[in-house]
Amino acid sequence: MPYSDVELNEPEFKVLSGLIYETSGICLGPSKRLMLANRLRRRVNSGEYGSIKEYLDKLLSRPDPDAVAELIDMATTHHTSFFRENGHFEFLTQVALPKLEAMAAGQARPIRAWSAAASSGEEPYSLAMVLAQWESAGFRRSWNIIATDISRPILDEAKQGIYSESKMSGVPAHLKVKYFEQGVGSFAGRYRVTAKLRANVQFGRVNLFDADYPIANLQDIILCRNVMIYFDQPSREKVVKRLLRHLAPGGYLMIGHTENLLGIAHGLRPVGQSVFQKSETDVVVSQWG
């Protein structure tokens, strides 16, 4: 019989939080013990395990990347919304995209953007709507978006691009009509991102704590927002330096409004609220192709 009350003692929490930190950089302080216990309760009550100890023993005795990823998923909160911290999207429309267009000087390559903590998809699809609107306004460059997250289940959800009515509150009415299909029958009350918009967003799993990221091209725009709040200072520094390897000269890095780059040697120029730009003089011709 599944346990109805699962407790996570201090030694168990230290082992689990240590494993989470080692594999993802996510730092769980003592105040997160109850949160993790509540989420583990649901896992144990699924019937596969009889106790936290049994779960822990199996996790440590058979290092399974999927099991570790599931643990990390339980330790994180996928809170997001369409056009969250909307000032960033306004900055893109009013400042960044016109400058990127001017910098391209007639080059045909697309604008490249990366949503590095995509969660359930609201951020990359918001970015996609901004870029699609910008393109339809007469700018001639195409665009594509890479959307990544550490959680496979949340990425599977994001790929579907289906959202309830309550999730749509941040989408302006004219964009809702243009970029979403309204469900009927069993899908009534839900909305799906149009196939055309979804086609420009490619999803994939990336652990920001890995030494290397499988991102082939330099990106003009990188959004890594509201994820570094889970990292300690050494982890934030590592992640920022790795992100910058993939930022094109003149490109923009956006972080969450409550985050900062204090104490990190990054060489970027602050150009807006939690918006930073890489120097345009770092151009490497072969990487602009």
Side-chain angles (χ1 to χ4, degrees), residues 47-242:
E48 185 177 347
Y49 305 99
S51 66
I52 287 285
K53 185 179 184 305
E54 184 180 331
Y55 171 84
L56 189 58
D57 288 345
K58 190 169 183 179
L59 182 68
L60 297 179
S61 65
R62 190 182 64 189
D64 178 359
D66 287 338
V68 174
E70 180 189 43
L71 173 64
I72 294 168
D73 197 33
M74 285 189 281
T76 52
T77 300
H78 299 290
H79 172 70
T80 186
S81 59
F82 284 106
F83 295 99
R84 183 183 184 187
E85 299 180 348
N86 190 48
H88 282 156
F89 300 103
E90 293 177 349
F91 180 90
L92 286 172
T93 300
Q94 298 169 10
V95 179
L97 291 174
K99 285 193 174 181
L100 289 170
E101 176 72 16
M103 276 173 29
Q107 294 185 55
R109 78 163 183 85
I111 293 285
R112 301 185 183 114
W114 176 21
S115 171
S119 190
S120 48
E122 287 91 330
E123 177 179 277
Y125 289 131
S126 297
L127 181 56
M129 284 184 268
V130 168
L131 288 167
Q133 287 291 98
W134 171 77
E135 184 180 16
S136 65
F139 294 94
R140 296 183 179 182
R141 294 175 68 189
S142 59
W143 54 273
N144 57 61
I145 296 171
I146 300 169
T148 66
D149 199 273
I150 194 172
S151 169
R152 287 188 177 90
I154 206 70
L155 283 170
D156 290 339
E157 182 181 329
K159 288 175 188 176
Q160 295 297 313
I162 299 174
Y163 300 95
S164 64
E165 181 73 56
S166 61
K167 293 273 191 175
M168 298 294 294
S169 59
V171 182
H174 68 289
L175 298 183
K176 186 175 177 181
V177 170
K178 188 173 183 178
Y179 296 114
F180 290 85
E181 300 167 341
Q182 189 167 358
V184 297
S186 61
F187 290 96
R190 288 187 281 178
Y191 296 80
R192 187 172 194 181
V193 179
T194 60
K196 184 176 180 181
L197 201 69
R198 282 186 283 118
N200 277 9
V201 183
Q202 304 300 313
F203 289 91
R205 183 179 183 274
V206 169
N207 180 350
L208 293 174
F209 208 56
D210 286 346
D212 296 294
Y213 304 152
I215 306 297
N217 297 306
L218 293 179
Q219 304 295 307
D220 300 295
I221 302 160
I222 298 178
L223 275 65
C224 187
R225 307 188 306 162
N226 304 302
V227 64
M228 287 190 285
I229 55 174
Y230 295 105
F231 298 157
D232 59 12
Q233 182 69 10
S235 296
R236 283 196 294 272
E237 186 164 6
K238 288 177 183 177
V239 168
V240 169
K241 288 182 177 179
R242 291 165 186 166

Side-chain angles (χ1 to χ4, degrees), residues 240-256:
V240 169
K241 288 182 177 179
R242 291 165 186 166
L243 289 172
L244 294 185
R245 296 175 192 166
H246 300 278
L247 187 63
Y252 297 86
L253 171 67
M254 298 182 170
I255 63 176

Side-chain angles (χ1 to χ4, degrees), residues 23-42:
T23 53
S24 71
I26 295 170
C27 188
L28 297 183
S31 64
K32 300 296 184 181
R33 181 172 152 191
L34 179 60
M35 176 274 290
L36 188 58
N38 288 336
R39 294 178 183 181
L40 284 169
R41 179 181 294 115
R42 293 193 291 270

